[in-house]
Amino acid sequence: MYSFSDLIKRTAVRRGQRRLAATLLCGAMLGIATGVLTSLPASAQTQVPATSINMRMLVVSADGTEPVLAGIKSILDQLNVPYDVLIASQTPLTASTLSDGNGNGYYQGIFLTTGNLAYDAGGGNWQSALTADQWQTLWQYETTFRVRQSTLYTYPVGAPDNYCLSMPNPQGTDTNTTPVNATLTTAGKKVFSYLNPSNPVSIQKAWTYLAQPGTGGTLTPLLSTSSGNPIASICTYADGRQNLTITTDGNPDLIHTLSLGYGVINWVSKGVFLGERHVYMAPQPDDMLLDDDLWDVALHTTNSNLSYRVSGPDYNKLIQWQSTMNAAHPNNAKITLEIPFNGVGASGEYQNDTLTPAIKKNDLPFRWISHTWDHELLTGMSYADSTNELAWNNTQAKNLRLVKYFKDSMIQPEISGLDNPYFLQAAWDFGIRYILSDTSQPGWNNPSPNTGFYSTYVTGLLIIPRYPTNCYYNVHTPAEWVDEYNSFYGPSGTMPYWDHNLSYAEILDKESDIWLRYLLKYSINPVMFHQANLYPYDGNNNVMGDLINRTLAKYNAISTLPIVSLAQHDIGVRMASRMAYNNAGVSARLILGSTSSQIQVTAANSATNVPITGVSAGTTEKYGGQTISTITVSASSTVTVAGPAW
């Protein structure tokens, strides 16, 4: 279980100072002459031709405090795109920052947190973090190396550039009160090809400038309001430079930041970069074959006299629910539950057991994973008892004839045993390679996106972080969930947050917003539920399914990317691969030719799965209309593959 306060407090961007900074810098900036500089004079052009570019991005920040800085870093990290951050008010930008002066560039794309890089130099003295000469140096590099730029939060008037925009009556809007809806243009549908063009992009909780087309170059709107205000646009200058301009603020948790982020990075990189993306969903309802205590809506507490265990008919309803969900939208087609089971529940412990024969008759719709034999906590368990818990459950998997089952993966009861060396050694010796942690517990969230931990007790045992939910283990009807949820977060709850007790629809809305962010952040982590959540409370629907359906409705309204649904075994394989790649010291360089290029990939340590989006080499996959390649690079060696036209 987690608190909403940390997440929701992060979703509102700071507006006042940045808005003031933009206004103070309208028309002129300290060190920059009044007017708009749209192209480089011929005398400023370098005479050294570009021969190569590092496949690395540069993010330039004014002072390191901009919310959009955290936003772009978050998305680059999730994609695993290499980048550097330059805090321009602290470290001067020079020609040697960008290239060696002999035709070898250090960055294939540039991101500016704001259009003018304004910051408070002290006492309300707002100025640009770049001098006029530094702006010229940046533009010269972009021209010479044909490198694209994006300004992530842009005031569309004044120095150093208006980015092909104007605002004759300076205005903006606080979308905390009134969201701004913007629609993809024809050009925008190409840049943001993964967004659902049938629905507008909703801008909320961020100050937004409502600009108009201006001068200085050729404007190509990508995302516009009904009044013709370009929220996202491309400005093409006479010297060939291009900038993708966004006029709304953002941060790592705002839906519009997450929705637009990939398209911005992909455009700046010209569709070729180190890294990759997939959208993932892996629900895991624990405790199958056991019963769970239930929440008592009369007593407002868990009541051990009330319990629920999935029955055979309920199990068949779950199959129907998954089938209906898969068929509801193309993005949903591959989503598959992975069911953690406790084999003791199929050993005759329950009278009139209809669940066990139902599973034996039809296990194929689901994946299956061991949850130990009888759900005993592993915190202080001996080596021998731990081995028995695993062996007995594995035998039961064979008895149940579970086809989609991996012996090398398990889920610990209540995520216990992470500090028990006897259990961990027993698990390894038995053949377990992938276990779980709980992201809500201190120190057990992903150390970096889509990575986990190797056990400090048993080398090689990978611990995969899993998200909890506020769909509690002991609720099997909407009424129970509403009552327990409000006992925590209602105005009279133990952790009061909301100003009123939420309805079932409101709870689904809040919880699905959180899960939606997991999807839009390309997070691979599985998500925890429990078997009580699978009860068909109205004959067809279950509370877990209601939350999944609500999340998918929001996701499918935004994105056209199909959801990848993996077994914990496969999550572990991908997570381990990413961790190995992160530790391999991989770098890449575009070698530029007159009509084409090559990519040289080098690794300090052996890397078996180096991801490159936008080229075909090694093992390839088509996803979201792009090719994702994975190649192998031996230690201290270089692999060359065909690159794009640059």
Side-chain angles (χ1 to χ4, degrees), residues 155-178:
Y155 184 69
V157 177
D161 196 350
N162 62 10
Y163 301 101
C164 298
L165 298 173
S166 67
M167 232 169 35
N169 297 306
Q171 60 179 315
T173 182
D174 183 349
T175 60
N176 273 317
T177 54
T178 305

Side-chain angles (χ1 to χ4, degrees), residues 106-339:
Y106 297 148
Y107 299 104
Q108 74 170 115
I110 309 294
F111 300 90
L112 307 184
T113 53
T114 59
N116 48 29
L117 294 177
Y119 77 106
D120 187 350
N125 176 28
W126 288 90
Q127 64 183 41
S128 174
L130 296 185
T131 65
D133 287 344
Q134 289 171 332
W135 282 108
Q136 291 283 0
T137 297
L138 178 63
W139 295 339
Q140 177 176 308
Y141 175 77
E142 292 170 357
T143 301
T144 301
F145 288 87
R146 302 189 297 279
V147 166
R148 289 174 171 175
Q149 174 183 286
S150 177
T151 50
L152 301 170
Y153 178 35
T154 310
Y155 184 69
V157 177
D161 196 350
N162 62 10
Y163 301 101
C164 298
L165 298 173
S166 67
M167 232 169 35
N169 297 306
Q171 60 179 315
T173 182
D174 183 349
T175 60
N176 273 317
T177 54
T178 305
V180 169
N181 291 322
T183 302
L184 292 171
T185 66
T186 299
K189 292 174 184 177
K190 295 178 180 179
V191 173
F192 303 105
S193 59
Y194 56 93
L195 294 183
N196 186 339
S198 300
N199 298 310
V201 175
S202 182
I203 312 297
Q204 299 184 56
K205 301 180 181 178
W207 187 264
T208 301
Y209 293 109
L210 302 178
Q212 293 290 335
T215 60
T218 301
L219 180 71
T220 304
L222 304 176
L223 191 67
S224 294
T225 68
S226 58
S227 300
N229 308 114
I231 302 299
S233 58
I234 295 171
C235 183
T236 302
Y237 302 93
D239 58 11
R241 287 185 303 116
Q242 288 186 302
N243 182 80
L244 196 160
T245 308
I246 298 176
T247 64
T248 184
D249 208 343
N251 74 30
D253 289 300
L254 289 174
I255 299 302
H256 66 266
T257 302
L258 298 174
S259 298
L260 299 175
Y262 181 85
V264 173
I265 293 168
N266 190 57
W267 180 86
V268 167
S269 72
K270 301 184 181 179
V272 179
F273 56 87
L274 281 178
E276 55 87 25
R277 53 102 191 244
H278 291 86
V279 178
Y280 298 100
M281 177 178 278
Q284 295 176 325
D286 294 357
D287 304 347
M288 183 63 80
L289 293 169
L290 298 182
D291 64 311
D292 287 316
D293 296 336
L294 294 177
W295 182 261
D296 191 324
V297 296
L299 300 177
H300 310 297
T301 188
T302 303
N303 188 341
S304 60
N305 293 320
L306 301 174
S307 65
Y308 168 73
R309 177 179 183 260
V310 172
S311 68
D314 294 348
Y315 176 82
N316 290 328
K317 287 291 186 180
L318 183 65
I319 294 173
Q320 293 178 19
W321 170 83
Q322 181 174 278
S323 178
T324 300
M325 178 270 295
N326 291 154
H329 195 282
N331 290 347
N332 308 356
K334 301 297 184 181
I335 299 173
T336 304
L337 300 183
E338 182 171 43
I339 299 184

